[in-house]
Amino acid sequence: MRTSEVGRVEAGQPMPGEQISKVIVSKNADHPVGSIVRLYAGWRTHTLVTSDANQRVMKMPELGDLPLSLALGCMGMPGMTAYFGFLELCQPKIGDTVLVNGAAGAVGSLVGQIAKIKGCKVVGCAGTDDKCKWLKELGFDEVFNYKKVDLSEALKAAAPDGFDCFFDNIGADFTATALKHMKLFGRVSICGQISSYNDKAPPKGEYPFMLILGKQLKIEGFIVMRWLPRWAEGEKAMGQWIKEGKIKFKETVYKGFEKMPEAFVGLFDGANTGKAIVSA
């Protein structure tokens, strides 16, 4: 929402976003009254879906007794971002050492747990001691509060031999520093750059291009919708891991539609642990 839509959304138009909704009136046999759907409706309380609209109504995954909100979190876009963005691009192997920044967020917390399922050593960082404590509860092997350490020294202490995989949610100075600690032929998945989304000018700092060349790193950015045809595969895997207790989650829930702006701003202040959810 911050990077792709701000500046293109005009006054009077809804901000974009995905929601879980109940059908209250229907002329579509595939979506009868009372059914629950997932759609890209934006920040609105009611939505009229027409056949020529671009609202991308999607079938709900099989949730069983799990909360509906997981269709927006672990089994929604954040979960698929972690599942495909890590497994497809980083190609983790048993024994690999994996670095995840923004590790207490909706995506990072899942990446770390998937890496553990795949037999990796996982290093994560977050911005508060409480978040770091939660990461240890999730099974992260090494955790540090990046606001309290020298980043390069913390990375060296956590992985003296370097990292095989790096899942990057933060960007800018963190990324430039972390690349120095990659092993030869390391793999880097560029998921987000939240540290610079609000910058008014290009960030100043060291350019990492010679490090990428010298270490022969594989670095790839991605947008999760490239795997939309395989969505059901990721949902099934994530749902099974949740039911088996291999994936744990937290949600920061804001009650009331009027809380949408507060929830959005909170993403940049680190107010959320796990997925931020607004519940009507």
Side-chain angles (χ1 to χ4, degrees), residues 22-68:
K22 179 182 287 186
V23 178
I24 58 175
V25 177
S26 178
K27 295 181 180 179
N28 187 325
D30 292 333
H31 304 296
V33 172
S35 58
I36 305 297
V37 296
R38 179 169 61 189
L39 71 161
Y40 199 73
W43 293 15
R44 60 175 100 207
T45 58
H46 294 73
T47 302
L48 175 63
V49 179
T50 60
S51 59
D52 59 348
N54 186 30
Q55 285 135 330
R56 204 165 61 216
V57 179
M58 297 179 67
K59 183 179 179 181
M60 286 286 290
E62 180 56 48
L63 293 173
D65 296 331
L66 298 174
L68 280 177

Side-chain angles (χ1 to χ4, degrees), residues 253-260 277-280:
V253 180
Y254 298 80
K255 296 293 290 186
F257 182 77
E258 68 278 3
K259 295 287 188 178
M260 291 291 286
I277 295 283
V278 176
S279 172

Side-chain angles (χ1 to χ4, degrees), residues 44-239:
R44 60 175 100 207
T45 58
H46 294 73
T47 302
L48 175 63
V49 179
T50 60
S51 59
D52 59 348
N54 186 30
Q55 285 135 330
R56 204 165 61 216
V57 179
M58 297 179 67
K59 183 179 179 181
M60 286 286 290
E62 180 56 48
L63 293 173
D65 296 331
L66 298 174
L68 280 177
S69 56
L70 287 188
L72 295 177
C74 295
M75 296 176 67
M77 185 273 289
M80 300 307 99
T81 299
Y83 182 85
F84 291 111
F86 177 60
L87 294 179
E88 294 290 323
L89 301 190
C90 285
Q91 297 285 312
K93 301 183 292 293
I94 294 175
D96 277 354
T97 301
V98 177
L99 172 63
V100 186
N101 58 14
V107 175
S109 60
L110 298 176
V111 170
Q113 293 180 83
I114 293 171
K116 291 301 298 180
I117 290 171
K118 296 300 180 180
C120 301
K121 173 185 176 180
V122 184
V123 178
C125 69
T128 71
D129 291 342
D130 284 343
K131 289 182 178 181
C132 288
K133 180 180 177 181
W134 182 55
L135 294 181
K136 291 297 289 186
E137 292 173 2
L138 294 182
F140 281 64
D141 297 285
E142 301 286 344
V143 174
F144 61 88
N145 183 337
Y146 69 90
K147 294 181 179 180
K148 294 184 173 182
V149 299
D150 177 279
L151 180 58
S152 188
E153 292 180 0
L155 294 175
K156 181 65 175 178
D161 297 326
F163 297 94
D164 300 281
C165 306
F166 172 30
F167 194 94
D168 181 24
N169 294 299
I170 293 180
D173 290 342
F174 192 112
T175 304
T177 300
L179 290 180
K180 300 175 183 178
H181 295 268
M182 296 298 296
K183 294 181 181 179
L184 284 173
F185 307 111
R187 290 90 67 198
V188 181
S189 179
I190 302 293
C191 175
Q193 303 282 289
I194 197 168
S195 66
S196 58
Y197 287 159
N198 290 324
D199 289 350
K200 292 182 172 61
K204 297 179 180 179
E206 180 180 348
Y207 292 104
F209 304 121
M210 289 305 295
L211 285 169
I212 295 169
L213 175 64
K215 290 181 177 285
Q216 302 177 74
L217 304 178
K218 176 186 175 183
I219 298 180
E220 186 171 350
F222 73 95
I223 297 173
V224 70
M225 299 314 294
R226 76 157 86 165
W227 292 290
L228 186 59
R230 295 174 57 189
W231 216 256
E233 170 196 332
E235 289 174 340
K236 182 178 179 180
M238 292 299 291

